[in-house]
Amino acid sequence: MALRKLVAGNWKMNGTRAALPELPEIEAAALNAQGRLDVAICPPFTLMSEAAAAAPLLAIGAQDCHHLESGAYTGGVSAAMIADLRARYVIVGHSERRTYQGETDADVRAKAEAAQAAGLIAILCVGETEEQRDAGRADLVVAGQLAGSVPPSGKAANLVIAYEPVWAIGTGRTPSVADVAAIHELIRAKLIELLGPEGTGVRILYGGSVKPENAGELMAVPDVDGALVGGASLTAAQFVPIIQATAAL
Ligand code: 13P
Protein backbone atom coordinates (compact mmCIF):
# COMPACT_ATOMS: atom_id res chain seq x y z
CA MET A 1 0.00 0.00 0.00
CA ALA A 2 1.46 3.38 -0.97
CA LEU A 3 1.13 5.82 1.91
CA ARG A 4 1.16 9.59 1.56
CA LYS A 5 4.82 10.55 1.88
CA LEU A 6 6.28 12.91 4.49
CA VAL A 7 9.45 14.91 3.84
CA ALA A 8 10.68 16.40 7.13
CA GLY A 9 13.70 18.62 7.69
CA ASN A 10 15.65 18.34 10.94
CA TRP A 11 17.73 21.48 11.43
CA LYS A 12 19.43 19.99 14.53
CA MET A 13 21.39 22.66 16.47
CA ASN A 14 21.64 24.92 13.44
CA GLY A 15 20.02 28.20 12.58
CA THR A 16 19.45 31.64 14.01
CA ARG A 17 16.84 34.13 12.86
CA ALA A 18 19.07 34.76 9.84
CA ALA A 19 17.88 31.36 8.53
CA LEU A 20 14.17 32.26 8.53
CA PRO A 21 14.15 33.69 4.97
CA GLU A 22 14.72 30.09 3.71
CA LEU A 23 11.24 29.13 4.87
CA PRO A 24 8.81 30.91 2.51
CA GLU A 25 10.38 29.16 -0.50
CA ILE A 26 10.13 25.79 1.25
CA GLU A 27 6.52 26.61 2.13
CA ALA A 28 5.78 27.44 -1.52
CA ALA A 29 7.23 24.10 -2.66
CA ALA A 30 5.20 22.31 0.00
CA LEU A 31 2.02 24.03 -1.18
CA ASN A 32 2.78 23.15 -4.80
CA ALA A 33 3.15 19.50 -3.81
CA GLN A 34 0.10 19.44 -1.56
CA GLY A 35 -2.19 16.56 -2.22
CA ARG A 36 0.82 14.42 -3.04
CA LEU A 37 2.91 14.65 0.15
CA ASP A 38 3.36 16.32 3.54
CA VAL A 39 6.30 18.60 4.31
CA ALA A 40 7.58 19.72 7.72
CA ILE A 41 10.52 21.63 9.15
CA CYS A 42 11.84 20.96 12.66
CA PRO A 43 13.93 23.98 13.63
CA PRO A 44 15.54 24.49 17.05
CA PHE A 45 13.07 25.40 19.84
CA THR A 46 14.31 29.00 19.71
CA LEU A 47 13.05 29.45 16.14
CA MET A 48 9.78 27.52 16.26
CA SER A 49 7.45 30.48 16.85
CA GLU A 50 9.13 32.69 14.31
CA ALA A 51 9.32 29.84 11.80
CA ALA A 52 5.57 29.34 12.15
CA ALA A 53 5.05 33.07 11.58
CA ALA A 54 7.45 33.21 8.61
CA ALA A 55 5.75 30.24 6.89
CA PRO A 56 2.27 29.89 8.39
CA LEU A 57 1.17 27.14 6.00
CA LEU A 58 4.26 24.98 6.53
CA ALA A 59 4.01 22.26 9.18
CA ILE A 60 6.45 22.80 12.04
CA GLY A 61 7.91 20.25 14.42
CA ALA A 62 10.29 20.09 17.36
CA GLN A 63 13.38 17.90 17.68
CA ASP A 64 12.73 16.52 21.16
CA CYS A 65 10.32 16.80 24.08
CA HIS A 66 10.28 16.04 27.79
CA HIS A 67 8.17 13.04 28.76
CA LEU A 68 6.27 14.98 31.46
CA GLU A 69 3.75 17.74 30.92
CA SER A 70 5.14 20.40 33.29
CA GLY A 71 7.07 20.83 36.50
CA ALA A 72 10.46 21.52 38.03
CA TYR A 73 12.62 20.29 35.12
CA THR A 74 14.92 23.19 34.31
CA GLY A 75 15.57 23.42 30.59
CA GLY A 76 12.85 20.92 29.75
CA VAL A 77 10.25 21.54 27.03
CA SER A 78 7.08 19.47 27.16
CA ALA A 79 5.03 18.10 24.29
CA ALA A 80 2.11 20.22 25.51
CA MET A 81 4.28 23.35 25.13
CA ILE A 82 5.22 22.30 21.61
CA ALA A 83 1.58 21.66 20.72
CA ASP A 84 0.75 25.10 22.13
CA LEU A 85 2.88 26.60 19.31
CA ARG A 86 0.56 24.90 16.82
CA ALA A 87 3.37 22.52 15.90
CA ARG A 88 2.32 19.19 14.41
CA TYR A 89 5.37 16.94 14.85
CA VAL A 90 8.09 16.11 17.33
CA ILE A 91 11.15 13.98 16.64
CA VAL A 92 11.91 11.53 19.46
CA GLY A 93 14.82 9.17 19.92
CA HIS A 94 17.13 10.67 17.34
CA SER A 95 20.44 8.77 17.42
CA GLU A 96 22.26 11.95 18.42
CA ARG A 97 20.11 12.13 21.55
CA ARG A 98 20.42 8.39 22.19
CA THR A 99 24.22 8.79 21.94
CA TYR A 100 24.94 12.18 23.54
CA GLN A 101 22.08 12.34 26.05
CA GLY A 102 22.02 8.62 26.77
CA GLU A 103 18.33 8.24 25.93
CA THR A 104 17.13 4.66 26.24
CA ASP A 105 14.31 2.90 24.41
CA ALA A 106 12.15 3.36 27.52
CA ASP A 107 12.87 7.11 27.53
CA VAL A 108 11.98 7.33 23.85
CA ARG A 109 8.76 5.44 24.37
CA ALA A 110 7.75 7.79 27.21
CA LYS A 111 8.43 10.78 24.97
CA ALA A 112 6.42 9.29 22.11
CA GLU A 113 3.53 8.68 24.51
CA ALA A 114 3.77 12.27 25.76
CA ALA A 115 3.73 13.50 22.17
CA GLN A 116 0.61 11.49 21.42
CA ALA A 117 -1.12 12.69 24.59
CA ALA A 118 -0.46 16.27 23.46
CA GLY A 119 -1.95 15.60 20.03
CA LEU A 120 1.39 15.64 18.20
CA ILE A 121 2.72 13.17 15.66
CA ALA A 122 5.89 11.53 17.00
CA ILE A 123 8.68 10.91 14.48
CA LEU A 124 10.43 8.06 16.29
CA CYS A 125 13.98 7.34 15.14
CA VAL A 126 15.75 3.98 15.03
CA GLY A 127 18.94 2.83 13.32
CA GLU A 128 22.09 0.79 13.77
CA THR A 129 25.72 1.90 14.10
CA GLU A 130 28.36 0.90 11.59
CA GLU A 131 29.80 -1.59 14.03
CA GLN A 132 26.40 -3.23 14.48
CA ARG A 133 25.84 -3.42 10.71
CA ASP A 134 29.30 -4.89 10.12
CA ALA A 135 28.55 -7.51 12.76
CA GLY A 136 25.39 -8.48 10.85
CA ARG A 137 23.19 -7.22 13.69
CA ALA A 138 21.37 -4.32 11.98
CA ASP A 139 18.04 -6.17 11.81
CA LEU A 140 18.22 -7.29 15.43
CA VAL A 141 19.16 -3.84 16.68
CA VAL A 142 16.39 -2.08 14.79
CA ALA A 143 13.76 -4.67 15.74
CA GLY A 144 14.85 -4.33 19.38
CA GLN A 145 14.63 -0.53 19.28
CA LEU A 146 11.12 -0.77 17.83
CA ALA A 147 10.01 -3.30 20.43
CA GLY A 148 11.36 -1.09 23.22
CA SER A 149 10.31 2.34 22.04
CA VAL A 150 7.11 2.11 19.98
CA PRO A 151 4.13 2.87 22.24
CA PRO A 152 1.49 0.09 22.11
CA SER A 153 -1.04 2.88 21.55
CA GLY A 154 0.77 3.96 18.38
CA LYS A 155 -1.52 4.70 15.45
CA ALA A 156 -0.99 5.61 11.83
CA ALA A 157 -2.33 9.06 12.69
CA ASN A 158 0.10 9.83 15.51
CA LEU A 159 3.26 7.86 14.81
CA VAL A 160 5.94 7.97 12.12
CA ILE A 161 9.11 5.87 12.20
CA ALA A 162 12.41 7.21 10.82
CA TYR A 163 15.04 4.62 9.95
CA GLU A 164 18.35 6.43 10.19
CA PRO A 165 21.47 4.26 10.05
CA VAL A 166 23.92 6.13 12.31
CA TRP A 167 26.80 5.64 9.86
CA ALA A 168 24.85 7.38 7.08
CA ILE A 169 24.08 10.53 9.09
CA GLY A 170 26.09 13.51 7.92
CA THR A 171 28.62 11.28 6.14
CA GLY A 172 27.45 11.42 2.53
CA ARG A 173 27.19 7.61 2.61
CA THR A 174 23.87 5.82 2.14
CA PRO A 175 22.89 2.16 2.25
CA SER A 176 22.18 0.47 -1.08
CA VAL A 177 18.63 0.56 -2.35
CA ALA A 178 18.44 -3.19 -1.65
CA ASP A 179 19.56 -2.70 1.97
CA VAL A 180 17.03 0.11 2.49
CA ALA A 181 14.29 -2.06 0.98
CA ALA A 182 15.19 -5.01 3.21
CA ILE A 183 15.24 -3.09 6.47
CA HIS A 184 12.09 -1.09 5.70
CA GLU A 185 10.31 -4.38 4.98
CA LEU A 186 11.50 -5.68 8.34
CA ILE A 187 10.33 -2.49 10.09
CA ARG A 188 6.89 -2.83 8.45
CA ALA A 189 6.58 -6.43 9.63
CA LYS A 190 7.65 -5.46 13.15
CA LEU A 191 5.14 -2.57 13.26
CA ILE A 192 2.33 -4.95 12.28
CA GLU A 193 3.49 -7.39 14.97
CA LEU A 194 3.48 -4.59 17.58
CA LEU A 195 0.45 -2.57 16.50
CA GLY A 196 -1.72 -4.95 14.49
CA PRO A 197 -3.44 -3.54 11.39
CA GLU A 198 -2.52 0.05 12.46
CA GLY A 199 1.07 -0.91 11.68
CA THR A 200 0.30 -1.01 7.96
CA GLY A 201 -0.46 2.73 7.95
CA VAL A 202 2.47 4.04 10.02
CA ARG A 203 4.84 5.87 7.70
CA ILE A 204 8.48 4.75 7.63
CA LEU A 205 10.92 7.50 6.63
CA TYR A 206 14.49 6.97 5.51
CA GLY A 207 17.12 9.39 6.91
CA GLY A 208 20.88 9.72 6.47
CA SER A 209 22.59 11.81 3.77
CA VAL A 210 19.42 12.35 1.72
CA LYS A 211 20.35 14.88 -0.99
CA PRO A 212 18.69 16.21 -4.16
CA GLU A 213 20.84 13.73 -6.14
CA ASN A 214 19.69 10.56 -4.35
CA ALA A 215 16.20 11.52 -3.13
CA GLY A 216 14.31 10.19 -6.16
CA GLU A 217 16.01 6.80 -5.99
CA LEU A 218 15.60 6.41 -2.21
CA MET A 219 12.00 7.64 -2.09
CA ALA A 220 10.98 5.12 -4.77
CA VAL A 221 11.97 2.14 -2.61
CA PRO A 222 8.95 0.09 -1.41
CA ASP A 223 7.95 0.92 2.18
CA VAL A 224 9.95 4.16 2.11
CA ASP A 225 7.21 6.63 2.96
CA GLY A 226 9.32 9.77 2.99
CA ALA A 227 12.56 11.26 4.26
CA LEU A 228 14.04 12.79 7.39
CA VAL A 229 16.62 15.22 6.07
CA GLY A 230 19.38 16.88 8.08
CA GLY A 231 22.01 19.02 6.35
CA ALA A 232 20.14 19.32 3.06
CA SER A 233 17.07 20.79 4.81
CA LEU A 234 18.92 23.91 5.95
CA THR A 235 18.52 25.76 2.66
CA ALA A 236 15.64 26.02 0.23
CA ALA A 237 18.15 25.45 -2.60
CA GLN A 238 18.79 21.90 -1.31
CA PHE A 239 15.48 21.04 0.34
CA VAL A 240 13.09 22.15 -2.41
CA PRO A 241 14.54 19.72 -5.01
CA ILE A 242 14.10 16.89 -2.48
CA ILE A 243 10.44 17.87 -2.03
CA GLN A 244 10.01 18.04 -5.80
CA ALA A 245 11.73 14.70 -6.46
CA THR A 246 9.44 13.05 -3.90
CA ALA A 247 6.31 14.73 -5.24
CA ALA A 248 7.19 13.56 -8.76
CA LEU A 249 7.00 9.87 -7.81
P1 13P B 1 21.87 14.23 7.31
O1 13P B 1 20.77 14.36 6.29
O2 13P B 1 22.63 15.50 7.53
O3 13P B 1 22.73 13.04 7.05
O4 13P B 1 21.13 13.95 8.72
C1 13P B 1 20.16 12.96 8.80
C2 13P B 1 19.49 13.10 10.12
O5 13P B 1 20.04 12.79 11.15
C3 13P B 1 18.12 13.64 10.12
O6 13P B 1 17.52 13.49 11.36
Side-chain angles (χ1 to χ4, degrees):
M1 179 176 56
L3 303 177
R4 182 182 167 89
K5 286 187 172 27
L6 166 65
V7 176
N10 173 11
W11 279 12
K12 309 191 178 184
M13 197 171 73
N14 295 295
T16 59
R17 281 179 288 174
L20 294 171
E22 298 295 329
L23 293 174
E25 208 182 314
I26 294 171
E27 179 186 41
L31 290 178
N32 274 333
Q34 233 180 23
R36 276 165 291 156
L37 80 168
D38 297 324
V39 178
I41 283 283
C42 303
F45 284 132
T46 49
L47 288 182
M48 285 183 64
S49 280
E50 286 185 73
L57 301 175
L58 184 64
I60 299 292
Q63 301 172 15
D64 178 47
C65 66
H66 198 280
H67 70 284
L68 296 175
E69 208 176 309
S70 62
Y73 302 97
T74 301
V77 177
S78 74
M81 293 169 177
I82 294 165
D84 186 47
L85 296 178
R86 282 182 285 111
R88 195 171 305 160
Y89 299 93
V90 58
I91 298 169
V92 296
H94 192 283
S95 63
E96 287 149 14
R97 296 201 61 88
R98 290 178 185 261
T99 302
Y100 304 130
Q101 267 74 36
E103 290 185 8
T104 64
D105 285 336
D107 295 331
V108 175
R109 176 170 155 175
K111 288 177 182 219
E113 284 171 342
Q116 292 169 358
L120 296 170
I121 300 171
I123 302 177
L124 193 161
C125 304
V126 296
E128 81 285 358
T129 64
E130 183 158 38
E131 197 185 8
Q132 290 164 334
R133 175 157 285 263
D134 289 347
R137 296 178 52 232
D139 288 6
L140 264 177
V141 168
V142 169
Q145 288 173 330
L146 291 168
S149 56
V150 168
S153 57
K155 302 261 180 293
N158 62 19
L159 180 68
V160 173
I161 302 298
Y163 168 63
E164 298 204 307
V166 176
W167 52 273
I169 295 176
T171 59
R173 295 166 58 204
T174 53
S176 68
V177 161
D179 284 346
V180 173
I183 202 138
H184 277 242
E185 188 183 341
L186 172 135
I187 294 169
R188 176 66 64 210
K190 191 75 190 170
L191 287 172
I192 292 168
E193 180 191 318
L194 293 168
L195 302 175
E198 277 295 324
T200 60
V202 172
R203 291 180 286 190
I204 308 170
L205 314 185
Y206 168 78
S209 296
V210 176
K211 306 286 177 215
E213 303 77 51
N214 60 20
E217 180 182 54
L218 288 165
M219 293 304 105
V221 174
D223 272 322
V224 172
D225 308 309
L228 185 56
V229 184
S233 71
L234 292 170
T235 61
Q238 290 266 300
F239 198 46
V240 167
I242 294 174
I243 296 168
Q244 290 169 338
T246 309
L249 289 171

